[in-house]
């Protein structure tokens, strides 16, 4: 069976951490391709901080243009054009309607597992795809830290494993942990750096940094 990954997110902006997670998922789960899907109207975020969908799509396109296993999907952008909120359950149903054959793998940060029951129709999400919960390798291996750090890390690991067990039992969910050697970077951090005019080298693809600088993005947000 064909396997297709879905890398959703605001991508405000997309950064190298997103790309690293997607590539790890593609390799580990033998995905045919990964769809990068900028959120149309992410209803759980402050809209004042989110750039227009067309701009976020363009940055995403630039970030993956030389990566044949990655593909830009504008599926949720169509909801934004109509002023509609973006819901993962609806997106998955649209994908399955358009192409019902593949097995879909939805990639998200492991922290999202604690919030998914607050999403619209979580049972439909879990029945429509396998969830890949991304967590940094260092957060899954407590060796080498101080005693306090190890205890805290062990507690986090235990909490995550319990949440996975809980969701699997309640929703018959297919959930896999995706451990990756990630970078400690966030879109929030990058926006703050862009506002100050700092270099984004190594944090975002070169083409994305050029696009941000050329269009003076994030200079006026707060």
């Amino acid at each position: 069976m064909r396997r297709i990954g879905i890398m959703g997110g605001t991508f405000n902006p997309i950064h190298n951490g997103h790309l690293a997670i997607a590539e790890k998922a593609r390799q580990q789960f033998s995905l045919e391709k990964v769809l990068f899907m900028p959120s149309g109207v992410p209803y759980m975020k402050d809209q004042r901080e989110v750039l227009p969908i067309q701009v976020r799509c363009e940055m995403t396109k630039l970030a993956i243009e030389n990566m044949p296993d990655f593909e830009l999907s504008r599926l949720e952008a169509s909801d934004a054009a109509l002023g509609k909120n973006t819901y993962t359950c609806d997106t998955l149903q649209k994908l399955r309607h358009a192409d019902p054959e593949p097995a879909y793998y939805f990639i998200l940060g492991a922290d999202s597992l604690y919030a998914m029951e607050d999403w619209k129709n979580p049972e439909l999400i879990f029945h429509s795809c396998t969830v890949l919960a991304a967590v940094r390798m260092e957060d899954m291996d407590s060796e080498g830290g101080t005693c306090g750090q190890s205890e805290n890390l062990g507690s986090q690991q235990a909490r995550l494993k319990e949440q996975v067990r809980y969701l699997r039992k309640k929703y018959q969910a297919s959930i896999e942990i995706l451990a990756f050697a990630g970078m400690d970077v966030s879109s929030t951090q990058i926006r703050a750096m862009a506002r100050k005019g700092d270099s984004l080298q190594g944090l975002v693809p070169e083409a994305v940094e050029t696009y941000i600088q050329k269009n003076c993005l994030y200079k006026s947000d707060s």
Side-chain angles (χ1 to χ4, degrees):
M1 178 180 291
R2 295 165 55 215
R3 297 181 174 190
I4 293 179
I6 305 165
M7 186 75 184
T10 311
F11 298 142
N12 188 38
I14 190 169
H15 55 68
N16 289 341
H18 295 131
L19 302 178
I21 293 171
E23 179 58 19
K24 178 64 175 179
R26 188 190 69 80
Q27 293 179 4
Q28 184 171 331
F29 293 91
S30 301
L31 304 179
E32 175 184 302
K33 62 181 175 181
V34 177
L35 301 177
F36 277 73
M37 192 177 296
S39 311
V41 181
Y43 69 99
M44 297 178 116
K45 292 183 180 287
D46 186 341
Q47 301 302 310
R48 294 171 299 179
E49 296 185 354
V50 180
L51 290 176
I53 182 63
Q54 297 86 349
V55 175
R56 291 183 285 117
C57 279
E58 184 60 27
M59 286 192 288
T60 302
K61 179 181 177 182
L62 290 170
I64 64 175
E65 61 183 350
N66 295 318
M67 300 177 179
D69 298 313
F70 295 165
E71 180 180 313
L72 171 65
S73 170
R74 299 178 185 269
L75 182 60
E76 293 193 349
S78 61
D79 287 337
L82 298 174
K84 295 181 179 179
N85 285 340
T86 298
Y87 299 106
T88 299
C89 62
D90 296 339
T91 297
L92 287 167
Q93 289 305 294
K94 290 176 183 176
L95 280 172
R96 287 205 162 278
H97 179 75
D99 190 0
E101 177 187 319
Y104 290 97
Y105 289 72
F106 187 70
I107 307 164
L108 46 66
D111 286 350
S112 294
L113 291 179
Y114 302 107
M116 286 187 74
E117 287 192 289
D118 295 327
W119 295 10
K120 180 182 177 183
N121 295 335
E123 66 284 348
L124 187 57
I125 297 173
F126 289 122
H127 291 167
S128 300
C129 66
T130 294
V131 172
L132 303 183
V135 60
R136 292 186 301 175
M137 287 179 181
E138 53 265 41
D139 292 337
M140 293 300 291
D141 184 1
S142 59
E143 294 182 4
T146 65
C147 180
Q149 289 172 333
S150 296
E151 289 177 358
N152 183 53
L153 208 50
S155 176
Q156 292 175 4
Q157 292 173 19
R159 181 169 175 253
L160 176 60
K161 290 177 181 177
E162 178 56 34
Q163 183 66 6
V164 170
R165 283 194 293 267
Y166 165 74
L167 294 173
R168 283 173 175 166
K169 182 177 180 179
K170 181 174 181 179
Y171 297 99
Q172 291 75 55
S174 176
I175 302 172
E176 300 290 343
I177 297 298
L178 176 66
F180 72 102
M183 25 185 327
D184 189 12
V185 60
S186 70
S187 295
T188 301
Q189 171 192 352
I190 292 170
R191 291 196 299 272
M193 294 174 67
R195 278 196 294 273
K196 295 186 295 183
D198 292 345
S199 170
L200 305 180
Q201 185 177 6
L203 301 177
V204 301
E206 183 178 349
V208 173
E209 179 175 20
T210 299
Y211 184 87
I212 290 172
Q213 293 173 342
K214 180 179 178 180
N215 293 281
C216 300
L217 301 182
Y218 306 114
K219 292 293 186 180
S220 61
D221 82 23
S222 58

